[in-house]
Amino acid sequence: MIKVSIVGTGNISHHLAKVFSEASEVELIEVLESRSLSIESLSHTNSQKFEGPDLYILAVSDDAIAPVAAQFKGSSRLVVHTSGSVSLESLSFLERSGVFYPLQTFSKHREIDFERIPICLEASKQNDLELLRTLATSVSDTVHNISSEERKTLHLAAVFVNNFTNHLYAIGHQLCATRDLPFNLLRPLIRETAHKIEQLDPIEAQTGPARRNDLKTLERQLEQLPSEQLKEIYTLLTQSIQEIHGEKL
Amino acid sequence: MIKVSIVGTGNISHHLAKVFSEASEVELIEVLESRSLSIESLSHTNSQKFEGPDLYILAVSDDAIAPVAAQFKGSSRLVVHTSGSVSLESLSFLERSGVFYPLQTFSKHREIDFERIPICLEASKQNDLELLRTLATSVSDTVHNISSEERKTLHLAAVFVNNFTNHLYAIGHQLCATRDLPFNLLRPLIRETAHKIEQLDPIEAQTGPARRNDLKTLERQLEQLPSEQLKEIYTLLTQSIQEIHGEKL
């Protein structure tokens, strides 16, 4: 049985608390508010008698990781953060530190199938990495040891396939709105676009006027766009598709 | 019972033929190769005796629509195309013309749940629009009358949410490859990003450093990108997110 305390009360905390409560090999001891955390309230963590958690998971924003982790200075407990972009190094002042990064986008009101979420692990000590692996495999089928540098690259890739992709959905939404067309018309297409690459490599899956080098359509669509910024995005992404596929504009 | 002939043998033809074969109210008469089509082979279509189809569906590439449709000049049969970007006007030399545009991305080897695909209809005659509606509702739950101008806008929006989105997946793939990381790590995130907006408006669903105006992360990630083109894409999409959300870089 692994005993876990979570620090922070945002989306990741919410989902971790839920999945750990349901995992038979994990005991969720508490969910602490990061703001009310203080050296005093944690001073018991160093007491030999204290039957505390095996690890603290800091599910807080990137900027809060260092100040919150500082509260654990001198503690002999394992403290891990859950961020894609903060290095393990930044917790080097702790005796035992690590990373438990679930590569997913979390919203409070959406159920998440945790088993399918890749969990990226890193730890300063081999024993702690093994503890984290036991914890991670108790909730997910996909667990990887990922270095801080690799994690940064993954997080950057995630910005493209999640944040920027969602923004393209928003542009689709805006274009529909210019003619009072319901966004619902695009939802099945969005779903299928994502599902297609469950089996396919996205480079093979590419279709459309840029891929076909259909200059007539490219020119007509560029004209049709209602703002300079959308024209710029259209041009840049078209060029980028053509370069990947060895075409020239 | 509506009798249908399909002209063309690509992806859309394949999926239309399949769904029409299974629909109880539709009789699929034939799938014709557009290349072997000739005035001679179609001359029977004008014969009063010929028990031909109620309509021909041209499931051919945009550039092929006009030349293939020209073979039907003088015919009294309804001829419709399946393109998002070709206007109804371009078939104005036909007595009866229309559009049957399923708003989806089709691949030969993927099963498609046709019921959920929005079908956009247009016709030069009211009776033909009703015929098309009967045909469309026999295979899909979502049928809309959409003008040529509206269809062009939808098709442009589709380029953003399908073609460009897939390209962002390809960039994610490339970034993973720079560190030999498996693309599989991103697949659950891609899936969830699409599923999230089944209920949410994409503007509400936006997350990430651009949305949070997290300048430190934005700067660090920009530096991390391996090419000038990726930096340009990152900068432009970041600015566009910030403008939609009323932030300034």
Side-chain angles (χ1 to χ4, degrees):
Chain A
M1 188 67 94
I2 302 179
K3 292 187 231 164
V4 176
S5 286
I6 299 174
V7 180
T9 53
N11 287 338
I12 296 188
S13 165
H14 171 84
H15 286 282
L16 285 178
K18 191 162 175 297
V19 72
F20 287 145
S21 316
E22 290 161 0
S24 55
E25 305 89 336
V26 183
E27 186 187 339
L28 178 65
I29 294 194
E30 58 197 345
V31 177
L32 301 163
E33 280 217 37
S34 61
R35 261 177 265 174
S36 60
L37 218 61
S38 68
I39 296 167
E40 292 71 36
S41 70
L42 289 166
S43 57
H44 61 287
T45 64
N46 285 323
S47 145
Q48 292 254 336
K49 278 191 211 148
F50 172 56
E51 285 276 348
D54 293 304
L55 76 162
Y56 287 92
I57 298 182
L58 311 187
V60 299
S61 69
D62 288 3
D63 286 346
I65 289 172
V68 172
Q71 307 287 330
F72 292 88
K73 230 176 199 164
S75 165
S76 59
R77 308 264 166 184
L78 174 60
V79 176
V80 306
H81 73 65
T82 56
S83 162
S85 55
V86 175
S87 68
L88 179 62
E89 186 82 49
S90 68
L91 300 182
S92 59
F93 56 83
L94 295 174
E95 196 184 315
R96 295 166 58 200
S97 60
V99 180
F100 185 98
Y101 171 52
L103 183 39
Q104 188 51 284
T105 172
F106 295 97
S107 321
K108 219 153 204 164
H109 301 294
R110 270 188 67 80
E111 287 290 312
I112 288 266
D113 181 7
F114 228 94
E115 276 177 34
R116 297 189 58 190
I117 300 179
I119 299 182
C120 305
L121 304 178
E122 195 178 6
S124 56
K125 292 190 160 66
Q126 186 59 32
N127 281 350
D128 290 335
L129 193 60
E130 279 154 29
L131 178 71
L132 290 178
R133 177 165 284 269
T134 307
L135 180 67
T137 52
S138 77
V139 296
S140 166
D141 292 337
T142 317
V143 178
H144 290 263
N145 294 344
I146 297 284
S147 72
S148 287
E149 282 304 303
E150 289 169 334
R151 189 155 35 79
K152 261 187 211 166
T153 298
L154 279 177
H155 189 248
L156 183 54
V159 166
F160 279 84
V161 305
N162 170 257
N163 301 162
F164 289 167
T165 287
N166 185 76
H167 183 56
L168 295 182
Y169 302 161
I171 292 173
H173 190 280
Q174 286 189 306
L175 289 172
C176 284
T178 62
R179 293 201 187 269
D180 283 331
L181 292 163
F183 181 63
N184 262 341
L185 286 168
L186 295 180
R187 284 195 162 102
L189 177 62
I190 286 171
R191 191 185 178 93
E192 174 63 11
T193 304
H195 285 200
K196 224 170 167 170
I197 58 119
E198 300 267 318
Q199 290 122 33
L200 282 178
D201 179 315
I203 293 168
E204 293 164 41
Q206 190 67 54
T207 58
R211 174 71 185 94
R212 289 195 308 274
N213 203 28
D214 175 351
L215 301 178
K216 247 180 5 195
T217 302
L218 290 172
E219 197 179 322
R220 199 172 34 67
Q221 292 200 322
L222 196 59
E223 256 174 52
Q224 207 186 322
L225 283 163
S227 79
E228 277 313 307
Q229 191 166 50
L230 288 180
K231 285 182 209 281
E232 263 186 79
I233 293 172
Y234 186 96
T235 304
L236 193 54
L237 291 176
T238 293
Q239 284 171 346
S240 181
I241 290 172
Q242 299 201 313
E243 274 173 37
I244 267 193
H245 292 279
E247 307 269 1
K248 281 264 156 80
L249 259 186
Chain B
M1 187 68 91
I2 302 179
K3 291 186 231 164
V4 175
S5 287
I6 299 173
V7 181
T9 52
N11 287 338
I12 297 187
S13 165
H14 171 84
H15 286 282
L16 284 179
K18 189 162 178 297
V19 73
F20 287 147
S21 316
E22 291 161 2
S24 55
E25 305 89 336
V26 183
E27 186 187 338
L28 177 65
I29 294 193
E30 58 197 345
V31 177
L32 300 163
E33 280 216 37
S34 62
R35 262 178 262 173
S36 60
L37 219 61
S38 68
I39 298 168
E40 291 73 36
S41 71
L42 289 166
S43 58
H44 61 286
T45 65
N46 283 324
S47 146
Q48 292 253 336
K49 280 189 208 151
F50 173 57
E51 285 275 349
D54 293 305
L55 77 160
Y56 287 91
I57 299 182
L58 311 187
V60 300
S61 68
D62 287 3
D63 287 346
I65 290 172
V68 171
Q71 307 287 332
F72 292 88
K73 231 176 198 166
S75 166
S76 59
R77 310 264 165 182
L78 173 59
V79 177
V80 307
H81 72 65
T82 55
S83 163
S85 55
V86 175
S87 68
L88 179 61
E89 185 82 49
S90 67
L91 300 183
S92 60
F93 56 83
L94 296 174
E95 196 184 315
R96 296 166 58 201
S97 59
V99 180
F100 185 97
Y101 170 51
L103 183 39
Q104 187 51 283
T105 173
F106 295 97
S107 321
K108 221 153 203 165
H109 301 294
R110 270 189 66 81
E111 287 291 312
I112 289 267
D113 181 8
F114 227 95
E115 275 176 34
R116 298 188 59 190
I117 300 179
I119 298 182
C120 305
L121 303 179
E122 196 178 6
S124 57
K125 292 190 159 67
Q126 186 59 33
N127 281 350
D128 289 336
L129 192 60
E130 279 156 29
L131 178 70
L132 289 178
R133 178 165 282 271
T134 308
L135 180 67
T137 51
S138 75
V139 296
S140 166
D141 292 337
T142 318
V143 178
H144 290 264
N145 294 345
I146 298 284
S147 73
S148 287
E149 282 304 304
E150 289 170 335
R151 190 155 34 80
K152 261 188 212 167
T153 298
L154 278 177
H155 188 248
L156 183 55
V159 165
F160 279 85
V161 305
N162 169 256
N163 302 161
F164 289 168
T165 287
N166 184 76
H167 183 56
L168 295 182
Y169 301 161
I171 291 173
H173 189 280
Q174 286 189 306
L175 288 171
C176 283
T178 62
R179 292 199 189 271
D180 283 330
L181 292 163
F183 181 63
N184 262 341
L185 286 168
L186 295 179
R187 284 195 162 103
L189 177 63
I190 287 172
R191 192 186 178 93
E192 174 63 12
T193 304
H195 286 200
K196 223 169 168 171
I197 57 121
E198 300 267 317
Q199 291 123 32
L200 283 178
D201 180 315
I203 293 166
E204 294 165 41
Q206 190 66 54
T207 58
R211 174 70 187 94
R212 289 195 309 275
N213 203 28
D214 175 351
L215 301 179
K216 246 183 358 196
T217 301
L218 290 172
E219 197 179 323
R220 200 171 33 69
Q221 293 200 322
L222 196 58
E223 257 174 54
Q224 207 186 322
L225 283 163
S227 78
E228 277 314 307
Q229 191 166 48
L230 288 180
K231 284 181 209 283
E232 264 186 80
I233 293 172
Y234 186 96
T235 303
L236 193 55
L237 291 176
T238 292
Q239 284 171 347
S240 182
I241 289 171
Q242 299 201 314
E243 274 172 37
I244 267 192
H245 292 278
E247 306 270 1
K248 280 265 157 75
L249 258 187

